[in-house]
CSV table of all heavy atoms in Angstrom, one decimal:
chain,number,residue,atom,x,y,z
A,17,MET,N,1.8,0.0,7.7
A,17,MET,CA,0.9,-0.3,6.6
A,17,MET,C,-0.4,0.5,6.7
A,17,MET,O,-0.9,0.5,7.8
A,17,MET,CB,0.6,-1.8,6.5
A,17,MET,CG,0.1,-2.3,5.1
A,17,MET,SD,-0.1,-4.0,5.1
A,17,MET,CE,-1.9,-4.1,5.5
A,18,VAL,N,-0.9,1.1,5.7
A,18,VAL,CA,-2.1,1.9,5.7
A,18,VAL,C,-3.3,0.9,5.8
A,18,VAL,O,-3.3,-0.1,5.1
A,18,VAL,CB,-2.2,2.7,4.4
A,18,VAL,CG1,-3.5,3.4,4.4
A,18,VAL,CG2,-1.0,3.6,4.3
A,19,MET,N,-4.2,1.2,6.7
A,19,MET,CA,-5.4,0.4,6.9
A,19,MET,C,-6.3,0.5,5.7
A,19,MET,O,-6.5,1.7,5.2
A,19,MET,CB,-6.1,0.8,8.1
A,19,MET,CG,-7.2,-0.1,8.5
A,19,MET,SD,-7.9,0.2,10.2
A,19,MET,CE,-9.4,1.1,9.7
A,20,GLN,N,-6.7,-0.6,5.1
A,20,GLN,CA,-7.7,-0.5,4.1
A,20,GLN,C,-9.1,-0.7,4.6
A,20,GLN,O,-9.4,-1.6,5.3
A,20,GLN,CB,-7.3,-1.6,3.0
A,20,GLN,CG,-5.9,-1.4,2.4
A,20,GLN,CD,-5.6,-2.2,1.2
A,20,GLN,OE1,-5.4,-3.4,1.3
A,20,GLN,NE2,-5.5,-1.6,0.0
A,21,GLU,N,-9.9,0.2,4.2
A,21,GLU,CA,-11.3,0.4,4.8
A,21,GLU,C,-12.4,0.0,3.8
A,21,GLU,O,-12.2,0.4,2.6
A,21,GLU,CB,-11.4,1.8,5.4
A,21,GLU,CG,-10.3,2.1,6.4
A,21,GLU,CD,-10.5,3.6,6.9
A,21,GLU,OE1,-11.0,4.4,6.1
A,21,GLU,OE2,-10.0,3.8,8.0
A,22,ILE,N,-13.4,-0.5,4.4
A,22,ILE,CA,-14.6,-0.6,3.5
A,22,ILE,C,-15.8,0.1,4.3
A,22,ILE,O,-16.1,-0.2,5.5
A,22,ILE,CB,-15.0,-2.1,3.4
A,22,ILE,CG1,-13.9,-2.8,2.6
A,22,ILE,CG2,-16.4,-2.2,2.6
A,22,ILE,CD1,-14.1,-4.3,2.5
A,23,LEU,N,-16.4,1.0,3.7
A,23,LEU,CA,-17.5,1.8,4.3
A,23,LEU,C,-18.8,0.9,4.2
A,23,LEU,O,-19.3,0.7,3.1
A,23,LEU,CB,-17.7,3.2,3.6
A,23,LEU,CG,-19.0,4.0,4.1
A,23,LEU,CD1,-18.7,4.4,5.5
A,23,LEU,CD2,-19.0,5.2,3.2
A,24,ILE,N,-19.3,0.5,5.4
A,24,ILE,CA,-20.4,-0.4,5.4
A,24,ILE,C,-21.6,0.4,5.4
A,24,ILE,O,-22.7,-0.1,4.8
A,24,ILE,CB,-20.4,-1.2,6.8
A,24,ILE,CG1,-19.0,-2.0,6.9
A,24,ILE,CG2,-21.5,-2.2,6.9
A,24,ILE,CD1,-18.9,-3.2,5.9
A,25,GLY,N,-21.7,1.5,6.0
A,25,GLY,CA,-23.0,2.3,6.0
A,25,GLY,C,-22.7,3.6,6.8
A,25,GLY,O,-21.7,3.8,7.4
A,26,ALA,N,-23.7,4.5,6.6
A,26,ALA,CA,-23.5,5.8,7.3
A,26,ALA,C,-24.9,6.5,7.4
A,26,ALA,O,-25.8,6.2,6.7
A,26,ALA,CB,-22.6,6.7,6.5
A,27,ASN,N,-25.0,7.3,8.4
A,27,ASN,CA,-26.1,8.3,8.5
A,27,ASN,C,-25.4,9.7,8.7
A,27,ASN,O,-24.2,9.9,8.5
A,27,ASN,CB,-27.1,8.0,9.5
A,27,ASN,CG,-26.6,8.0,10.9
A,27,ASN,OD1,-25.5,8.6,11.2
A,27,ASN,ND2,-27.2,7.4,11.9
A,28,GLU,N,-26.2,10.6,9.0
A,28,GLU,CA,-25.6,12.0,9.2
A,28,GLU,C,-24.7,12.2,10.3
A,28,GLU,O,-24.0,13.2,10.4
A,28,GLU,CB,-26.9,13.1,9.2
A,28,GLU,CG,-27.8,12.9,10.4
A,28,GLU,CD,-29.0,11.9,10.0
A,28,GLU,OE1,-28.8,11.1,9.1
A,28,GLU,OE2,-30.1,12.0,10.6
A,29,HIS,N,-24.7,11.3,11.2
A,29,HIS,CA,-23.9,11.4,12.4
A,29,HIS,C,-22.7,10.5,12.5
A,29,HIS,O,-21.7,10.7,13.1
A,29,HIS,CB,-24.7,11.1,13.7
A,29,HIS,CG,-25.9,11.9,13.8
A,29,HIS,ND1,-25.9,13.3,14.0
A,29,HIS,CD2,-27.2,11.5,13.8
A,29,HIS,CE1,-27.2,13.7,14.0
A,29,HIS,NE2,-28.0,12.7,14.0
A,30,THR,N,-22.9,9.3,11.8
A,30,THR,CA,-21.9,8.2,12.1
A,30,THR,C,-21.6,7.5,10.8
A,30,THR,O,-22.4,7.3,9.9
A,30,THR,CB,-22.6,7.1,13.1
A,30,THR,OG1,-23.1,7.8,14.2
A,30,THR,CG2,-21.5,6.1,13.4
A,31,GLN,N,-20.3,7.0,10.7
A,31,GLN,CA,-19.9,6.1,9.6
A,31,GLN,C,-19.5,4.8,10.2
A,31,GLN,O,-18.8,4.8,11.2
A,31,GLN,CB,-18.8,6.7,8.9
A,31,GLN,CG,-19.1,7.8,8.0
A,31,GLN,CD,-17.9,8.2,7.0
A,31,GLN,OE1,-16.8,8.0,7.4
A,31,GLN,NE2,-18.2,8.7,5.8
A,32,ILE,N,-20.0,3.7,9.7
A,32,ILE,CA,-19.6,2.3,10.0
A,32,ILE,C,-18.5,1.9,9.0
A,32,ILE,O,-18.8,1.6,7.9
A,32,ILE,CB,-20.7,1.3,10.1
A,32,ILE,CG1,-21.8,1.9,11.0
A,32,ILE,CG2,-20.2,0.0,10.6
A,32,ILE,CD1,-21.5,2.1,12.4
A,33,ILE,N,-17.3,1.7,9.5
A,33,ILE,CA,-16.1,1.3,8.6
A,33,ILE,C,-15.5,0.1,9.0
A,33,ILE,O,-15.2,-0.1,10.3
A,33,ILE,CB,-15.1,2.5,8.6
A,33,ILE,CG1,-15.7,3.7,8.0
A,33,ILE,CG2,-13.8,2.1,7.9
A,33,ILE,CD1,-14.9,5.0,8.1
A,34,MET,N,-15.3,-0.8,8.1
A,34,MET,CA,-14.6,-2.1,8.5
A,34,MET,C,-13.1,-2.2,8.1
A,34,MET,O,-12.9,-1.7,6.9
A,34,MET,CB,-15.4,-3.3,7.8
A,34,MET,CG,-14.7,-4.6,8.1
A,34,MET,SD,-15.8,-5.9,7.5
A,34,MET,CE,-14.6,-7.3,7.4
A,35,ASP,N,-12.3,-2.5,8.9
A,35,ASP,CA,-10.9,-2.8,8.6
A,35,ASP,C,-10.9,-4.1,7.7
A,35,ASP,O,-11.2,-5.1,8.1
A,35,ASP,CB,-10.1,-3.0,9.8
A,35,ASP,CG,-8.6,-3.3,9.6
A,35,ASP,OD1,-8.2,-3.4,8.4
A,35,ASP,OD2,-7.9,-3.5,10.6
A,36,ALA,N,-10.5,-3.9,6.4
A,36,ALA,CA,-10.5,-5.0,5.5
A,36,ALA,C,-9.7,-6.2,5.9
A,36,ALA,O,-10.0,-7.3,5.6
A,36,ALA,CB,-10.1,-4.5,4.1
A,37,ALA,N,-8.7,-5.9,6.7
A,37,ALA,CA,-7.8,-7.0,7.2
A,37,ALA,C,-8.5,-7.9,8.1
A,37,ALA,O,-8.1,-9.1,8.3
A,37,ALA,CB,-6.6,-6.4,7.9
A,38,MET,N,-9.6,-7.5,8.7
A,38,MET,CA,-10.4,-8.3,9.7
A,38,MET,C,-11.4,-9.3,8.9
A,38,MET,O,-12.0,-10.2,9.5
A,38,MET,CB,-11.3,-7.5,10.5
A,38,MET,CG,-10.5,-6.6,11.4
A,38,MET,SD,-9.4,-7.5,12.5
A,38,MET,CE,-10.5,-8.1,13.7
A,39,GLY,N,-11.3,-9.3,7.5
A,39,GLY,CA,-12.3,-10.2,6.8
A,39,GLY,C,-11.9,-11.6,6.7
A,39,GLY,O,-12.6,-12.4,6.2
A,40,ASN,N,-10.7,-11.9,7.2
A,40,ASN,CA,-10.4,-13.4,7.3
A,40,ASN,C,-10.8,-14.0,8.5
A,40,ASN,O,-10.5,-15.2,8.8
A,40,ASN,CB,-8.9,-13.6,7.1
A,40,ASN,CG,-8.1,-13.0,8.2
A,40,ASN,OD1,-8.7,-12.2,9.0
A,40,ASN,ND2,-6.8,-13.3,8.3
A,41,ARG,N,-11.7,-13.4,9.3
A,41,ARG,CA,-12.4,-14.0,10.4
A,41,ARG,C,-13.8,-14.5,10.1
A,41,ARG,O,-14.2,-14.2,8.9
A,41,ARG,CB,-12.5,-13.0,11.6
A,41,ARG,CG,-11.2,-12.1,11.8
A,41,ARG,CD,-10.1,-13.1,12.4
A,41,ARG,NE,-8.8,-12.4,12.3
A,41,ARG,CZ,-8.3,-11.5,13.3
A,41,ARG,NH1,-9.1,-11.3,14.3
A,41,ARG,NH2,-7.2,-11.0,13.2
A,42,HIS,N,-14.4,-15.2,11.0
A,42,HIS,CA,-15.8,-15.7,10.7
A,42,HIS,C,-16.7,-14.4,10.8
A,42,HIS,O,-16.3,-13.5,11.6
A,42,HIS,CB,-16.2,-16.7,11.8
A,42,HIS,CG,-15.5,-18.0,11.5
A,42,HIS,ND1,-14.3,-18.3,12.1
A,42,HIS,CD2,-15.8,-19.1,10.8
A,42,HIS,CE1,-14.0,-19.5,11.8
A,42,HIS,NE2,-14.8,-20.0,11.0
A,43,GLY,N,-17.8,-14.4,10.1
A,43,GLY,CA,-18.7,-13.3,10.2
A,43,GLY,C,-20.1,-13.8,10.1
A,43,GLY,O,-20.4,-14.8,9.5
A,44,MET,N,-21.1,-13.0,10.6
A,44,MET,CA,-22.5,-13.3,10.4
A,44,MET,C,-23.2,-11.9,10.2
A,44,MET,O,-22.9,-11.0,11.0
A,44,MET,CB,-23.0,-14.0,11.6
A,44,MET,CG,-24.6,-14.3,11.5
A,44,MET,SD,-25.1,-15.3,12.9
A,44,MET,CE,-25.4,-14.0,14.0
A,45,ILE,N,-24.1,-12.0,9.3
A,45,ILE,CA,-24.9,-10.8,9.0
A,45,ILE,C,-26.3,-11.2,9.3
A,45,ILE,O,-26.9,-12.0,8.8
A,45,ILE,CB,-24.8,-10.3,7.5
A,45,ILE,CG1,-23.4,-10.0,7.2
A,45,ILE,CG2,-25.8,-9.1,7.3
A,45,ILE,CD1,-23.2,-9.7,5.7
A,46,SER,N,-26.9,-10.6,10.4
A,46,SER,CA,-28.2,-10.9,10.8
A,46,SER,C,-29.1,-9.7,11.0
A,46,SER,O,-28.6,-8.6,11.2
A,46,SER,CB,-28.2,-11.8,12.1
A,46,SER,OG,-27.7,-11.0,13.1
A,47,GLY,N,-30.4,-9.8,10.9
A,47,GLY,CA,-31.3,-8.7,11.2
A,47,GLY,C,-32.7,-9.1,10.6
A,47,GLY,O,-32.9,-10.0,9.9
A,48,ALA,N,-33.6,-8.3,11.0
A,48,ALA,CA,-35.0,-8.4,10.6
A,48,ALA,C,-35.2,-8.1,9.1
A,48,ALA,O,-34.2,-7.5,8.5
A,48,ALA,CB,-36.0,-7.5,11.4
A,49,THR,N,-36.2,-8.5,8.5
A,49,THR,CA,-36.5,-8.3,7.1
A,49,THR,C,-36.3,-6.8,6.7
A,49,THR,O,-36.9,-5.9,7.5
A,49,THR,CB,-37.9,-8.7,6.7
A,49,THR,OG1,-38.1,-10.1,7.1
A,49,THR,CG2,-38.2,-8.5,5.3
A,50,GLY,N,-35.6,-6.5,5.7
A,50,GLY,CA,-35.4,-5.2,5.2
A,50,GLY,C,-34.4,-4.3,6.0
A,50,GLY,O,-34.4,-3.1,5.8
A,51,THR,N,-33.6,-4.9,6.9
A,51,THR,CA,-32.7,-4.1,7.6
A,51,THR,C,-31.3,-3.9,6.9
A,51,THR,O,-30.4,-3.3,7.5
A,51,THR,CB,-32.5,-4.6,9.1
A,51,THR,OG1,-32.1,-6.1,8.9
A,51,THR,CG2,-33.7,-4.6,9.9
A,52,GLY,N,-31.1,-4.6,5.8
A,52,GLY,CA,-29.9,-4.3,5.1
A,52,GLY,C,-28.9,-5.4,5.0
A,52,GLY,O,-27.7,-5.2,4.6
A,53,LYS,N,-29.3,-6.7,5.2
A,53,LYS,CA,-28.4,-7.8,5.1
A,53,LYS,C,-27.8,-8.0,3.8
A,53,LYS,O,-26.6,-8.1,3.6
A,53,LYS,CB,-29.1,-9.1,5.6
A,53,LYS,CG,-29.7,-9.1,7.0
A,53,LYS,CD,-30.4,-10.3,7.3
A,53,LYS,CE,-31.6,-10.6,6.6
A,53,LYS,NZ,-32.7,-9.6,6.7
A,54,THR,N,-28.7,-8.0,2.8
A,54,THR,CA,-28.2,-8.2,1.3
A,54,THR,C,-27.3,-7.1,0.9
A,54,THR,O,-26.3,-7.3,0.3
A,54,THR,CB,-29.4,-8.4,0.5
A,54,THR,OG1,-30.2,-9.5,0.9
A,54,THR,CG2,-29.0,-8.6,-1.0
A,55,VAL,N,-27.7,-5.9,1.2
A,55,VAL,CA,-26.9,-4.7,0.8
A,55,VAL,C,-25.5,-4.8,1.5
A,55,VAL,O,-24.5,-4.5,0.9
A,55,VAL,CB,-27.6,-3.4,1.1
A,55,VAL,CG1,-26.8,-2.2,0.9
A,55,VAL,CG2,-28.8,-3.2,0.2
A,56,THR,N,-25.5,-5.2,2.8
A,56,THR,CA,-24.2,-5.3,3.5
A,56,THR,C,-23.3,-6.3,2.8
A,56,THR,O,-22.1,-6.1,2.6
A,56,THR,CB,-24.5,-5.6,5.0
A,56,THR,OG1,-25.3,-4.7,5.6
A,56,THR,CG2,-23.1,-5.8,5.7
A,57,LEU,N,-23.9,-7.5,2.4
A,57,LEU,CA,-23.1,-8.5,1.8
A,57,LEU,C,-22.6,-8.0,0.4
A,57,LEU,O,-21.5,-8.2,0.0
A,57,LEU,CB,-24.0,-9.7,1.6
A,57,LEU,CG,-23.4,-11.0,1.0
A,57,LEU,CD1,-22.3,-11.5,1.9
A,57,LEU,CD2,-24.4,-12.0,0.7
A,58,GLN,N,-23.5,-7.3,-0.3
A,58,GLN,CA,-23.0,-6.8,-1.5
A,58,GLN,C,-21.9,-5.7,-1.4
A,58,GLN,O,-21.0,-5.7,-2.1
A,58,GLN,CB,-24.3,-6.1,-2.2
A,58,GLN,CG,-24.0,-5.5,-3.6
A,58,GLN,CD,-25.3,-4.9,-4.2
A,58,GLN,OE1,-26.3,-4.7,-3.6
A,58,GLN,NE2,-25.2,-4.6,-5.5
A,59,ILE,N,-22.0,-4.8,-0.4
A,59,ILE,CA,-21.0,-3.8,-0.1
A,59,ILE,C,-19.7,-4.5,0.2
A,59,ILE,O,-18.6,-4.1,-0.2
A,59,ILE,CB,-21.4,-2.9,1.0
A,59,ILE,CG1,-22.5,-1.9,0.5
A,59,ILE,CG2,-20.3,-2.1,1.6
A,59,ILE,CD1,-23.3,-1.1,1.5
A,60,LEU,N,-19.7,-5.5,1.0
A,60,LEU,CA,-18.5,-6.2,1.3
A,60,LEU,C,-17.8,-6.9,0.2
A,60,LEU,O,-16.6,-6.8,-0.1
A,60,LEU,CB,-18.8,-7.3,2.3
A,60,LEU,CG,-19.1,-6.8,3.8
A,60,LEU,CD1,-19.5,-7.9,4.7
A,60,LEU,CD2,-17.8,-6.1,4.4
A,61,ALA,N,-18.6,-7.5,-0.7
A,61,ALA,CA,-18.1,-8.2,-2.0
A,61,ALA,C,-17.5,-7.1,-2.8
A,61,ALA,O,-16.4,-7.3,-3.4
A,61,ALA,CB,-19.3,-9.0,-2.6
A,62,GLU,N,-18.2,-6.0,-3.0
A,62,GLU,CA,-17.7,-4.9,-3.9
A,62,GLU,C,-16.5,-4.3,-3.3
A,62,GLU,O,-15.5,-4.0,-4.0
A,62,GLU,CB,-18.8,-3.9,-4.1
A,62,GLU,CG,-20.0,-4.3,-4.9
A,62,GLU,CD,-21.1,-3.3,-4.9
A,62,GLU,OE1,-21.0,-2.3,-4.2
A,62,GLU,OE2,-22.1,-3.5,-5.7
A,63,GLY,N,-16.5,-4.2,-1.9
A,63,GLY,CA,-15.3,-3.5,-1.3
A,63,GLY,C,-14.0,-4.4,-1.5
A,63,GLY,O,-13.0,-3.8,-1.8
A,64,TYR,N,-14.2,-5.7,-1.2
A,64,TYR,CA,-13.0,-6.5,-1.3
A,64,TYR,C,-12.6,-6.7,-2.8
A,64,TYR,O,-11.4,-6.6,-3.1
A,64,TYR,CB,-13.4,-7.9,-0.8
A,64,TYR,CG,-13.2,-7.9,0.7
A,64,TYR,CD1,-14.3,-7.9,1.6
A,64,TYR,CD2,-11.9,-7.9,1.3
A,64,TYR,CE1,-14.1,-7.9,3.0
A,64,TYR,CE2,-11.8,-7.7,2.7
A,64,TYR,CZ,-12.8,-7.8,3.5
A,64,TYR,OH,-12.7,-7.7,4.9
A,65,SER,N,-13.5,-6.7,-3.7
A,65,SER,CA,-13.2,-6.8,-5.1
A,65,SER,C,-12.4,-5.5,-5.5
A,65,SER,O,-11.4,-5.7,-6.2
A,65,SER,CB,-14.5,-6.9,-6.0
A,65,SER,OG,-14.1,-7.2,-7.3
A,66,ARG,N,-12.9,-4.4,-5.0
A,66,ARG,CA,-12.2,-3.1,-5.4
A,66,ARG,C,-10.8,-3.1,-4.8
A,66,ARG,O,-9.9,-2.5,-5.3
A,66,ARG,CB,-13.0,-2.0,-4.8
A,66,ARG,CG,-12.8,-0.7,-5.3
A,66,ARG,CD,-13.7,0.4,-4.9
A,66,ARG,NE,-15.1,0.1,-5.5
A,66,ARG,CZ,-16.2,0.0,-5.0
A,66,ARG,NH1,-16.3,0.0,-3.6
A,66,ARG,NH2,-17.3,-0.2,-5.5
A,67,LEU,N,-10.5,-3.9,-3.7
A,67,LEU,CA,-9.2,-3.9,-3.1
A,67,LEU,C,-8.3,-4.9,-3.7
A,67,LEU,O,-7.2,-5.1,-3.2
A,67,LEU,CB,-9.3,-4.1,-1.6
A,67,LEU,CG,-10.0,-3.0,-0.8
A,67,LEU,CD1,-10.2,-3.4,0.7
A,67,LEU,CD2,-9.0,-1.7,-0.8
A,68,GLY,N,-8.9,-5.7,-4.7
A,68,GLY,CA,-8.1,-6.7,-5.4
A,68,GLY,C,-8.2,-8.1,-4.8
A,68,GLY,O,-7.5,-9.0,-5.2
A,69,VAL,N,-9.2,-8.3,-3.9
A,69,VAL,CA,-9.3,-9.6,-3.3
A,69,VAL,C,-10.4,-10.4,-4.2
A,69,VAL,O,-11.5,-9.8,-4.3
A,69,VAL,CB,-9.9,-9.5,-1.9
A,69,VAL,CG1,-10.1,-10.8,-1.3
A,69,VAL,CG2,-8.8,-8.7,-1.1
A,70,PRO,N,-10.1,-11.5,-4.7
A,70,PRO,CA,-11.1,-12.3,-5.5
A,70,PRO,C,-12.2,-12.6,-4.5
A,70,PRO,O,-12.0,-13.1,-3.3
A,70,PRO,CB,-10.3,-13.6,-5.9
A,70,PRO,CG,-8.9,-13.2,-5.7
A,70,PRO,CD,-8.7,-12.3,-4.6
A,71,VAL,N,-13.4,-12.5,-5.0
A,71,VAL,CA,-14.6,-12.8,-4.2
A,71,VAL,C,-15.4,-13.9,-4.8
A,71,VAL,O,-15.8,-13.8,-6.0
A,71,VAL,CB,-15.5,-11.5,-4.0
A,71,VAL,CG1,-16.8,-11.8,-3.3
A,71,VAL,CG2,-14.8,-10.5,-3.4
A,72,PHE,N,-15.8,-15.0,-4.1
A,72,PHE,CA,-16.7,-16.0,-4.5
A,72,PHE,C,-17.9,-16.0,-3.7
A,72,PHE,O,-17.9,-16.0,-2.5
A,72,PHE,CB,-15.9,-17.4,-4.4
A,72,PHE,CG,-16.8,-18.5,-4.7
A,72,PHE,CD1,-17.1,-18.9,-6.0
A,72,PHE,CD2,-17.4,-19.3,-3.7
A,72,PHE,CE1,-18.0,-19.9,-6.3
A,72,PHE,CE2,-18.3,-20.3,-3.9
A,72,PHE,CZ,-18.6,-20.6,-5.2
A,73,MET,N,-19.0,-16.0,-4.3
A,73,MET,CA,-20.3,-16.0,-3.6
A,73,MET,C,-21.2,-17.0,-4.1
A,73,MET,O,-21.3,-17.3,-5.4
A,73,MET,CB,-21.0,-14.6,-3.8
A,73,MET,CG,-20.2,-13.4,-3.2
A,73,MET,SD,-20.9,-11.9,-3.6
A,73,MET,CE,-22.4,-11.8,-2.5
A,74,ALA,N,-21.9,-17.8,-3.3
A,74,ALA,CA,-22.8,-18.8,-3.7
A,74,ALA,C,-24.2,-18.6,-3.0
A,74,ALA,O,-24.3,-18.0,-2.0
A,74,ALA,CB,-22.2,-20.2,-3.2
A,75,GLY,N,-25.2,-19.1,-3.7
A,75,GLY,CA,-26.5,-19.0,-3.3
A,75,GLY,C,-27.4,-18.2,-4.2
A,75,GLY,O,-27.0,-18.0,-5.4
A,76,ASP,N,-28.6,-17.8,-3.8
A,76,ASP,CA,-29.5,-17.0,-4.8
A,76,ASP,C,-29.1,-15.6,-4.7
A,76,ASP,O,-29.5,-14.8,-3.7
A,76,ASP,CB,-31.0,-17.2,-4.3
A,76,ASP,CG,-31.9,-16.4,-5.2
A,76,ASP,OD1,-31.4,-15.9,-6.2
A,76,ASP,OD2,-33.1,-16.4,-4.9
A,77,LEU,N,-28.4,-15.2,-5.7
A,77,LEU,CA,-27.8,-13.8,-5.7
A,77,LEU,C,-28.3,-13.0,-6.8
A,77,LEU,O,-27.8,-12.0,-7.2
A,77,LEU,CB,-26.3,-13.8,-5.8
A,77,LEU,CG,-25.5,-14.6,-4.6
A,77,LEU,CD1,-24.1,-15.0,-4.9
A,77,LEU,CD2,-25.7,-13.7,-3.4
A,78,SER,N,-29.5,-13.5,-7.4
A,78,SER,CA,-30.0,-12.8,-8.5
A,78,SER,C,-30.3,-11.3,-8.3
A,78,SER,O,-30.2,-10.5,-9.2
A,78,SER,CB,-31.3,-13.5,-9.0
A,78,SER,OG,-32.2,-13.7,-7.9
A,79,GLY,N,-30.6,-11.0,-7.1
A,79,GLY,CA,-30.9,-9.6,-6.7
A,79,GLY,C,-29.7,-8.7,-6.7
A,79,GLY,O,-29.8,-7.5,-6.7
A,80,VAL,N,-28.5,-9.3,-6.5
A,80,VAL,CA,-27.4,-8.4,-6.5
A,80,VAL,C,-26.4,-8.7,-7.7
A,80,VAL,O,-25.3,-8.1,-7.7
A,80,VAL,CB,-26.6,-8.7,-5.2
A,80,VAL,CG1,-27.4,-8.2,-4.0
A,80,VAL,CG2,-26.0,-10.1,-5.0
A,81,ALA,N,-26.8,-9.4,-8.6
A,81,ALA,CA,-26.0,-9.8,-9.7
A,81,ALA,C,-25.9,-8.8,-10.8
A,81,ALA,O,-25.1,-8.9,-11.7
A,81,ALA,CB,-26.3,-11.2,-10.3
A,82,LYS,N,-26.8,-7.9,-10.9
A,82,LYS,CA,-26.8,-6.9,-12.0
A,82,LYS,C,-25.6,-6.0,-11.9
A,82,LYS,O,-25.2,-5.5,-10.9
A,82,LYS,CB,-28.1,-6.1,-11.8
A,82,LYS,CG,-28.5,-5.3,-13.0
A,82,LYS,CD,-29.9,-4.7,-12.9
A,82,LYS,CE,-30.0,-3.5,-13.7
A,82,LYS,NZ,-31.0,-2.5,-13.3
A,83,ALA,N,-25.1,-5.8,-13.2
A,83,ALA,CA,-23.9,-4.9,-13.2
A,83,ALA,C,-24.2,-3.5,-12.9
A,83,ALA,O,-25.4,-3.1,-13.2
A,83,ALA,CB,-23.2,-5.0,-14.6
A,84,GLU,N,-23.3,-2.7,-12.3
A,84,GLU,CA,-23.6,-1.3,-12.0
A,84,GLU,C,-23.7,-0.5,-13.2
A,84,GLU,O,-23.1,-0.7,-14.2
A,84,GLU,CB,-22.4,-0.7,-11.1
A,84,GLU,CG,-22.6,-1.1,-9.7
A,84,GLU,CD,-21.4,-0.5,-8.9
A,84,GLU,OE1,-21.2,0.8,-9.0
A,84,GLU,OE2,-20.8,-1.2,-8.1
B,11,LIG,N1,-26.0,0.6,3.8
B,11,LIG,C1,-27.2,1.1,3.3
B,11,LIG,N2,-27.3,2.4,3.0
B,11,LIG,C2,-28.5,2.8,2.7
B,11,LIG,N3,-29.6,2.2,2.4
B,11,LIG,C3,-29.6,0.9,2.7
B,11,LIG,C4,-28.4,0.2,3.1
B,11,LIG,N4,-28.6,-1.1,3.4
B,11,LIG,C5,-29.9,-1.3,3.0
B,11,LIG,N5,-30.4,-0.1,2.6
B,11,LIG,C6,-31.9,0.1,2.2
B,11,LIG,O1,-32.7,-0.9,2.8
B,11,LIG,C7,-33.3,-1.7,1.8
B,11,LIG,C8,-33.4,-3.1,2.3
B,11,LIG,O2,-32.1,-3.7,2.3
B,11,LIG,P1,-31.8,-5.2,2.0
B,11,LIG,O3,-32.5,-5.7,0.8
B,11,LIG,O4,-30.3,-5.4,2.1
B,11,LIG,O5,-32.4,-5.9,3.3
B,11,LIG,P2,-32.4,-7.4,3.8
B,11,LIG,O6,-32.1,-7.4,5.2
B,11,LIG,O7,-31.6,-8.2,2.8
B,11,LIG,O8,-34.0,-7.7,3.5
B,11,LIG,P3,-34.6,-9.2,3.4
B,11,LIG,O9,-34.7,-9.7,4.8
B,11,LIG,O10,-36.0,-8.9,2.9
B,11,LIG,O11,-33.8,-10.0,2.5
B,11,LIG,C9,-32.5,-1.4,0.5
B,11,LIG,O12,-33.2,-1.6,-0.6
B,11,LIG,C10,-32.0,0.0,0.7
B,11,LIG,O13,-33.1,0.9,0.3
B,12,LIG,MG1,-32.0,-9.9,1.6
């Protein structure tokens, strides 16, 4: 089976790619203010949605709720 990937982030040297099949494990996104927690969550939600996985999110998501 082909691995389905979600690109989490990148710079000029490195790409951080998540194997989507690992998403059924527990996860935690932590970091100091402004380090990319919300964007990482948004990328995961968009990535799974793009792969056909229904995504449910709860909480104050007003900052990420705007349509592209
Ligand atoms: N994967 C990424 N690629 C490029 N830029 C990013 C990425 N993630 C975050 N950024 C940049 O960093 C900024 C802050 O990210 P984000 O709002 O996700 O941080 P946060 O950890 O949720 O902050 P806070 O603690 O204030 O909620 C974004 O507006 C964006 O400019
Ligand atoms: Mg945030």
